[in-house]
Each structure stands twice: as structure tokens, then as C-alpha cells.
Amino acid sequence: MGTATQAKAPLFTRSALVALIWPLFLEQTLSVTMGMADTLMVAGVGEAAVSSVSLVDSLNILIIQILAALATGGAVVASQYMGRRDQESAQRQHRRQHPHL
């Protein structure tokens, strides 16, 4: 009826994925820590200063999240090509997503 499917080796090992995740985790931790440090530095100045820093920090986080969403979308498309073992299309998607590299 159907053909037997052969198990393919994964593209990335667990250790390779962990190596990719750690910098992302560190970047997010540093971003949050920097926002908290900014708030603590101006806490003694007054309420208006704390409000200003919080507002700017919120905008900073919004911009970071928008850029992360765009990067994630491009990574999903490239991952689909890599899953099909279509390296040429994956590289073309990478060049489209990162024209400055």
C-alpha cells in the first residue's frame, strides 16, 4: 500500500540547538536587566523621571519584539526549505532576510 519511510538524521543536534538558544536567553535577560537598572538609577530623582524611563523602556521592548517577530518569520520560511533539504532556496531566503550580510 504505502512505501516505508526511512528515518532521516536530524539537521541539528540537541547540543547545537542549545548553543543557539543560550545567546537568545542571555540577550533577553540583559535587556530586562538594563531596563530595571535604568529605573533604579532615576528612582531618587522623582516620579516623572521614573515614568519617563519606564515609557522609553516600553518602547524599546516593543521595537525589539517587532524585530524579533520579523526575524522569526524569516527563520520559519528558511527552516521549511531546510526541512525539504532545499539548500539553494534556504540560502536565497537568508540573503533576502539579511541583505547587509
Side-chain angles (χ1 to χ4, degrees):
M1 176 146 173
T3 60
T5 59
Q6 295 178 355
K8 294 182 181 178
L11 290 174
F12 298 102
T13 63
R14 180 182 282 280
S15 60
L17 290 175
V18 169
L20 288 172
I21 290 172
W22 274 111
L24 297 173
F25 177 76
L26 181 63
E27 187 270 335
Q28 289 296 316
T29 303
L30 290 175
S31 178
V32 170
T33 304
M34 195 166 116
M36 290 187 334
D38 290 342
T39 303
L40 287 173
M41 283 191 290
V42 298
V45 177
E47 292 178 14
V50 172
S51 296
S52 300
V53 168
S54 295
L55 178 65
V56 171
D57 190 42
S58 296
L59 291 174
N60 186 26
I61 290 173
L62 176 66
I63 291 169
I64 289 171
Q65 293 302 320
I66 289 171
L67 294 175
L70 291 172
T72 301
V76 166
V77 173
S79 296
Q80 289 175 346
Y81 288 130
M82 290 180 72
R84 281 189 262 161
R85 309 273 191 221
D86 185 359
Q87 294 297 324
E88 181 181 325
S89 295
Q91 289 173 351
R92 188 173 55 245
Q93 171 62 28
H94 174 74
R95 284 191 300 271
R96 213 178 291 148
Q97 187 175 356
H98 300 288
H100 57 280
L101 296 179

